[in-house]
Amino acid sequence: NAGVMQNPRHLVRRRGQEARLRCSPMKGHSHVYWYRQLPEEGLKFMVYLQKENIIDESGMPKERFSAEFPKEGPSILRIQQVVRGDSAAYFCASSPRAPTNEKLFFGSGTQLSVL
Amino acid sequence: SQKIEQNSEALNIQEGKTATLTCNYTNYSPAYLQWYRQDPGRGPVFLLLIRENEKEKRKERLKVTFDTTLKQSLFHITASQPADSATYLCALVGNSGYALNFGKGTSLLVTP
């Protein structure tokens, strides 16, 4: 029973390029969450999605960042025109039901480095 | 604004002793609180969930208390082992009802 799968594990981009981070939730989970973790900082909530819907994107920067969770395929976090400040670990989590009273299952993260 | 505060200083204890970690929160009215463990380079792993009407919850060597009057949760690891060394995070659902917000975590080091 595979857990939450994230790829790539490490991603290097130059300033101005696009970064695409992928997340496949656990089997049977239709709720996906993206978090960002900066060095010495806590996990910061970015966005919560259900299949084909963005439910809460209150933690997502207004520009350059977008997320989707299509009917088929993994959830994608897309960062356009990356800057050095985007360098961080990005974690995806999933749950089988809506987040109230639910634990989250996390992937191992994607470490994004912007040169 | 909503805040979750955990001891920022690392906690160093000797193997066999009890580790106690603190989580304080402000401007939350949580129905429940969660604790996670995070190892370097890995995602957090769920440990325990405690509801507002539960004063205490146990799982093997772990014990969590939840005091909604003090706005505090305590996380205990009894008979600690070097393998317990990790960062421990507490988490609460924010006002949106969707976002699970995390404290910065407390790093625990258990030495033989």
Side-chain angles (χ1 to χ4, degrees):
Chain A
N1 209 6
V4 177
M5 304 300 292
Q6 289 189 248
N7 64 81
R9 192 82 169 86
H10 300 275
L11 182 61
V12 180
R13 285 288 177 265
R14 296 190 182 277
R15 280 179 295 168
Q17 290 184 319
E18 179 180 286
R20 278 180 177 249
L21 288 63
R22 288 178 290 277
C23 169
S24 295
M26 284 184 70
K27 188 176 180 180
H29 288 194
S30 58
H31 301 261
V32 165
Y33 316 78
W34 285 93
Y35 286 81
R36 177 164 64 177
Q37 189 170 40
L38 292 163
E40 306 303 320
E41 293 291 324
L43 279 166
K44 299 295 185 187
F45 168 81
M46 299 180 75
V47 62
Y48 160 52
L49 311 101
Q50 292 180 26
K51 281 285 186 182
E52 300 185 274
N53 290 304
I54 296 174
I55 307 300
D56 182 352
E57 55 181 350
S58 58
M60 193 89 100
K62 293 285 185 282
E63 298 178 350
R64 303 189 297 108
F65 285 72
S66 62
E68 63 177 12
F69 188 16
K71 188 177 179 181
E72 301 290 337
S75 175
I76 306 287
L77 179 68
R78 182 182 177 205
I79 312 172
Q80 295 178 290
Q81 299 175 325
V82 296
V83 300
R84 289 224 171 102
D86 296 332
S87 296
Y90 291 83
F91 291 96
C92 167
S94 72
S95 65
R97 288 169 291 275
T100 302
N101 218 19
E102 281 291 323
K103 63 185 180 184
L104 300 187
F105 296 81
F106 280 84
S108 292
T110 293
Q111 180 64 51
L112 173 65
S113 298
V114 179
L115 304 179
Chain B
S1 63
Q2 293 184 313
K3 288 184 182 178
I4 303 173
E5 294 177 324
Q6 298 186 250
N7 292 348
S8 57
E9 289 189 18
L11 180 62
N12 293 346
I13 65 167
Q14 202 170 14
E15 182 175 11
K17 301 290 187 187
T18 296
T20 299
L21 286 68
T22 304
C23 174
N24 295 297
Y25 58 90
T26 54
N27 294 323
Y28 281 90
S29 299
Y32 60 94
L33 181 147
Q34 300 184 34
W35 283 90
Y36 288 75
R37 167 184 173 143
Q38 187 174 23
D39 291 280
R42 312 296 295 180
V45 175
F46 172 81
L47 295 174
L48 280 168
L49 181 153
I50 185 166
R51 293 178 174 79
E52 60 178 339
N53 60 350
E54 297 175 314
K55 289 283 169 56
E56 180 181 297
K57 195 154 189 179
R58 292 174 186 261
K59 179 183 176 183
E60 298 172 354
R61 294 184 295 110
L62 307 181
K63 185 179 89 171
V64 172
T65 62
F66 191 15
D67 189 326
T68 55
T69 301
L70 289 179
K71 299 186 184 303
Q72 180 181 81
S73 175
L74 298 179
F75 178 84
H76 306 271
I77 305 176
T78 59
S80 59
Q81 304 167 359
D84 295 327
S85 299
T87 296
Y88 291 85
L89 311 170
C90 74
L92 294 164
V93 172
N95 288 338
S96 72
Y98 299 121
L100 190 63
N101 297 325
F102 287 82
K104 289 187 180 181
T106 298
S107 176
L108 173 66
L109 178 62
V110 181
T111 52

